[in-house]
Amino acid sequence: MYKLTKAILFVSLSALSIAATAKDLPGIGRTALTNEIAAWDIDVRGDFKGLPKGSGSVAQGATIWEEKCASCHGSFGESMEVFGPIVGGTTTADMKTGHVHSLADGSEPKRSTLMKVATLSTIWDYINRAMPWNAPKTLTTDEVYAVTAYILNMGDILPSNFVLSDKNIAEVQKTMPNRNGMLSQLDPKNTKDFNMWKVRGKGDVKNPACMKDCIKTVEITSVLPDYACDAHGNIAEQNRHFGAVRGADKLIACDPHPSVAELNRIYNTPYHPGAVGSMKPVTFAITKPTTVAPEIADTTGLEMLKQNKCTACHGMTKKIVGPGFSEITAKYKGDSKAEAHLIDVVTNGGSGVWGGTMPPHGHIKAEYIKTMVQSILTGAK
Amino acid sequence: MSNELKKPGRIIKAPENFIDVSLSQAITKDGLNEDRRNFLRKSFVAASAAVAGGAMLSQGALAATSVGDPLILNHTEYDQTLGLPVAANPYGVPSKYETNLVRRESPGLTQVGGASVAFSPLQGLFGIITPSGLHFERHHQGWQDMDPTKHRLMVMGMVKNPKVYTMDDIMRLPSVSRMHFIECGANTATEWGNVAVPTVQYTHGMISCSEFTGVPLSVLLDDCGFDKKNGKFVLAEGADGSGMTRTISMESALDDVIVAYGQNGEMLRPENGYPLRLVVPGVQGVSSVKWLRRIEVGDKPFDTKDEVSHYVDLMPGGMTRQYTSIQEAKSVITTPSGGQVLVGKGFYNITGLAWTGRGKITRVDISTDGGRTWRTARLETPVLSKALTRFNIDWVWDGSPAILQSRAMDDTGYVQPSINQLRGVRGTKSIYHNNAIQSWRVADFGEVTNVQIN
């Protein structure tokens, strides 16, 4: 009897342990096929592992650039209107040293892609996976080589007759301006600087955690700049209208701003209410209770323009990739055929009017397109 | 560091009321118009002169009248009528009075909404869990609402058996549920050089904390037979237009990285990567790749765009620190905080959040005098590894100018630095990893503004 119990116990325990620590997961997942792996394994590493064969010239790149890239990045890759600049701030001396001097002396406040990127593979990989911004993964392999070559040409790294390919890209890497500019936390030789990759590393900045008599005087060094005082809208409407605090509907501290010197005098002088040491005559701003229920209105044209991602390329007033809505409103003012024309352009695509290409949007319901066009023509609100 | 609520200090009574009953009722009913605002300003100056500069407007002050509060004396619109039936909102929504605390963009920070950030309204949130609808958003090429039945995850590279998993497969596997913060590496970036934005939503709102549910990445790596000798790194890749890619350490991958589908008891929200995302605890948020579709095991880092050109740290002298993944200990007072106004003198609960990417928060100290003296705050439970920790401390505001600061410590012994200690090592050209102590100036008229102090 004892033996039997023990045997049963043994069997059931082993069954339990198999269930709890199963290394095999029968019925879960399946082996990936070679062509599936090839379709998704698109990353290209710093040593160019993963780079597909192909080539593209600077001249081909220039043509693609004008058509698909310049509207965001500018004709010379220098634009900061939509994204950061791609080109600028590097010199032929940097190409020799592999250190971008303007990063050291701060002479170029806006850091361009070519100033920062050490590995050419990264530029190739990113164009291939994510560009053009509104139609990613639509360039062919050769087109990616061509656009990469043209960027390097704009940065005076490659001559205008160059053809970039998988054969010569490693040579071009040796001229990248910031190729020696990285202090990798993963470099085993970099033993002093191992703080920010390892989870339990010691930080590089120390604070002794003093508890009393820590400082003799309070020194305020920076306050909200005047231009930022109203930039974030009415803060009263960004806080509850009840509770421990309210949001300020206008920052009194900004109006006018006390000087940093004046603030430091106040914060280092014993306080007497109402005395000269006080900060300011009291003009307390009472916040606006915003207890009005939200309107559950029908979806507006503007909301539909956002939901259908139109605002990714069109600003409310200004051009982003395509024209701003108010620019369209102005252009077609009084034009009775405008509605039908714009419905056609949105549905089927168009080009030429604003110096770019409007892709077709036939997948959006016709009635939605009509509402959105009407909303734009009447001044989208 | 006790979690027991200590008895608050002496509570100073609210000053004499200075608003007459009819105005009080009109404000309660219709809000403040320009005339009422001006009248109140004048009344306030007069009243504050009488009580030496301290009276503030709160509902208490509005309601406390000699004739009694009509909201108490009379029936209300709620207590004599029938309420709504069950399931009137099959998927519940916040009260109609809670429209102010929403995700917001910081004007001028970015040019297009598809490559932008919406900040979490930390100034009004409680506890440590961020409501899923208020989790901060950062997208590089817009967000997609992906069909979960069409989603696939491939695990390949240095593995014996590369595999494809569907959501059905992944949701059958043993799951874990853990609370972790996700903080963008650029959180507080605008403040590296000087004060730039007014409120905690914009200074610190690129952090959120959720309970994530999913499969430990180690389970999938084991299932595919990853190369334990040479596999040192993992690449994670997204299925969206940006095809976000980041290198993750094998140490993290085998420790606590989660392939997550659940967030706060429900599926992930689309803005947060529905139906599948990676959660890499303690590391820059960009590594927690959304819409996760591929995991590759490799022997070297992958040099992706967001670890070569962005999410790197330009140091004094022009060299750039790369692969700086960890989000170090940091804290911020969320109430009272920038742009807020105290409703009167007296008792307040100073409250805020602390976190560290290296483990657990062990202590948070608070100063109300600009760093001359510090007191240790209460840490509220739970205090979890690589999760937000809520702290609270009592404060009686006597109406004098104050500067509020918080300073976090973690279980590696690291202490959150001042902005100048940070700049002393890292310079001012960095964008990422600003974990400096935040200072909020409280003026004698109750308004709180963002300042930096030495």
Side-chain angles (χ1 to χ4, degrees), chain A residues 220 245 253 263 266-267 271 279, chain B residues 56 333 335-345 348 350 367-370 395-405 439-451 453:
Chain A
I220 293 176
V245 293
L263 282 177
I266 292 166
Y267 277 93
Y271 179 71
M279 285 179 205
Chain B
M56 300 289 167
I333 294 169
T335 303
S337 61
Q340 294 181 335
V341 184
L342 304 178
V343 292
K345 286 199 246 181
Y348 285 89
I350 294 176
S367 175
T368 56
D369 59 9
W395 182 45
V396 176
W397 184 50
D398 63 3
S400 62
I403 294 178
L404 311 181
Q405 298 172 304
S439 305
W440 302 121
R441 169 171 94 88
V442 181
D444 60 353
F445 48 93
E447 184 180 87
V448 188
T449 47
N450 186 1
V451 295
I453 67 174

Side-chain angles (χ1 to χ4, degrees), chain A residues 30 32 43 111 129-130 183 195-196 200 202 204 211 219 221 238-239 246 248-249 252-253 278 286, chain B residues 37 100 123 141 162 164 237 294 296 320-321 325 339 341 358 374 412 426 429 444 447 452 454:
Chain A
R30 61 162 176 86
D43 62 282
R111 297 165 220 167
R129 75 173 54 250
L183 214 50
N195 298 314
M196 297 292 277
R200 299 295 287 180
K202 291 274 177 199
D204 56 342
M211 291 304 279
E219 190 193 341
T221 56
Q238 303 175 28
N239 281 273
R246 301 289 186 277
D249 63 349
I252 294 171
S278 179
I286 292 150
Chain B
R37 284 170 54 82
N100 289 359
Q123 68 272 23
Q141 233 140 321
V164 173
E237 183 178 76
R294 190 166 68 97
E296 178 175 350
T320 301
R321 276 191 187 169
S325 285
V341 184
R358 298 200 190 275
W374 296 78
T412 68
R426 310 248 181 99
K429 291 178 191 166
D444 60 353
E447 184 180 87
Q452 287 184 353
N454 201 347

Side-chain angles (χ1 to χ4, degrees), chain A residues 169-222:
Chain A
I169 197 166
E171 284 303 307
V172 179
Q173 166 65 38
K174 292 176 187 165
T175 62
M176 288 294 282
N178 203 38
R179 65 186 178 279
N180 298 322
M182 291 296 175
L183 214 50
S184 173
Q185 306 285 292
L186 291 173
D187 182 351
K189 285 173 282 182
N190 180 11
T191 51
K192 275 200 300 191
D193 202 39
F194 249 113
N195 298 314
M196 297 292 277
W197 177 260
K198 293 218 156 146
V199 174
R200 299 295 287 180
K202 291 274 177 199
D204 56 342
V205 184
K206 308 284 181 226
N207 184 353
C210 168
M211 291 304 279
K212 60 179 194 179
D213 301 327
C214 301
I215 48 170
K216 286 202 178 75
T217 53
V218 171
E219 190 193 341
I220 293 176
T221 56
S222 175

Side-chain angles (χ1 to χ4, degrees), chain A residues 40-45 49 125 129, chain B residues 153-157 217 221 232-238 243-250 253 278 287 289 292-305 307 323:
Chain A
W40 273 11
D41 183 15
I42 60 168
D43 62 282
V44 182
R45 216 163 62 174
K49 180 179 173 289
D125 174 280
R129 75 173 54 250
Chain B
L153 174 67
M154 184 187 288
V155 179
M156 42 74 68
L217 177 57
L221 292 174
K232 298 271 193 278
F233 302 97
V234 162
L235 179 79
E237 183 178 76
M244 173 59 65
T245 39
R246 281 276 291 189
T247 302
I248 291 144
S249 79
M250 187 59 85
L278 206 61
S287 285
V289 172
L292 180 74
R293 84 168 185 191
R294 190 166 68 97
I295 292 287
E296 178 175 350
V297 177
D299 57 352
K300 290 182 187 172
F302 290 86
D303 312 304
T304 72
K305 186 258 287 177
E307 56 204 25
Y323 297 109

Side-chain angles (χ1 to χ4, degrees), chain B residues 143-401:
Chain B
W143 60 275
Q144 307 273 3
D145 196 356
M146 293 186 186
D147 182 344
T149 65
K150 294 179 180 168
H151 193 75
R152 303 287 183 269
L153 174 67
M154 184 187 288
V155 179
M156 42 74 68
M158 298 173 74
V159 299
K160 281 196 195 90
N161 182 21
K163 287 183 80 167
V164 173
Y165 302 91
T166 62
M167 290 303 296
D168 294 355
D169 293 322
I170 289 163
M171 293 169 83
R172 283 168 64 180
L173 289 170
S175 70
V176 294
S177 295
R178 293 187 192 132
M179 295 184 208
H180 289 300
F181 72 81
I182 294 182
E183 183 184 23
C184 177
N187 201 18
T188 323
T190 53
E191 308 288 300
W192 259 110
N194 51 270
V195 170
V197 291
T199 77
V200 72
Q201 180 159 18
Y202 307 108
T203 57
H204 289 75
M206 283 198 279
I207 186 161
S208 299
C209 184
S210 306
E211 185 200 56
F212 290 104
T213 295
V215 186
L217 177 57
S218 58
V219 169
L220 298 176
L221 292 174
D222 275 334
D223 186 42
C224 294
F226 76 102
D227 184 338
K228 288 183 180 164
K229 185 160 172 258
N230 300 312
K232 298 271 193 278
F233 302 97
V234 162
L235 179 79
E237 183 178 76
D240 61 322
S242 77
M244 173 59 65
T245 39
R246 281 276 291 189
T247 302
I248 291 144
S249 79
M250 187 59 85
E251 182 192 6
S252 288
L254 297 179
D255 179 22
D256 55 6
V257 174
I258 306 169
V259 176
Y261 44 82
Q263 180 181 7
N264 300 331
E266 59 181 4
M267 285 295 291
L268 293 165
R269 295 289 173 95
E271 301 95 312
N272 295 121
Y274 181 92
L276 198 65
R277 78 174 302 166
L278 206 61
V279 174
V280 186
V283 164
Q284 291 174 324
V286 64
S287 285
S288 291
V289 172
K290 295 184 284 190
W291 310 292
L292 180 74
R293 84 168 185 191
R294 190 166 68 97
I295 292 287
E296 178 175 350
V297 177
D299 57 352
K300 290 182 187 172
F302 290 86
D303 312 304
T304 72
K305 186 258 287 177
D306 286 297
E307 56 204 25
V308 165
S309 174
H310 301 100
Y311 305 94
V312 294
D313 305 85
L314 180 59
M315 302 291 285
M319 291 294 281
T320 301
R321 276 191 187 169
Q322 190 184 14
Y323 297 109
T324 51
S325 285
I326 303 297
Q327 296 295 99
E328 295 183 290
K330 184 169 173 179
S331 67
V332 68
I333 294 169
T334 52
T335 303
S337 61
Q340 294 181 335
V341 184
L342 304 178
V343 292
K345 286 199 246 181
F347 184 83
Y348 285 89
N349 177 50
I350 294 176
T351 189
L353 295 164
W355 61 96
T356 172
R358 298 200 190 275
K360 285 185 185 177
I361 288 293
T362 52
R363 197 173 107 193
V364 176
D365 297 327
I366 303 296
S367 175
T368 56
D369 59 9
R372 286 187 177 93
T373 56
W374 296 78
R375 289 189 294 150
T376 298
R378 300 191 309 274
L379 301 184
E380 305 304 337
T381 52
V383 177
L384 300 170
S385 181
K386 303 170 192 174
L388 290 185
T389 297
R390 174 63 65 173
F391 64 82
N392 290 304
I393 195 167
D394 304 341
W395 182 45
V396 176
W397 184 50
D398 63 3
S400 62

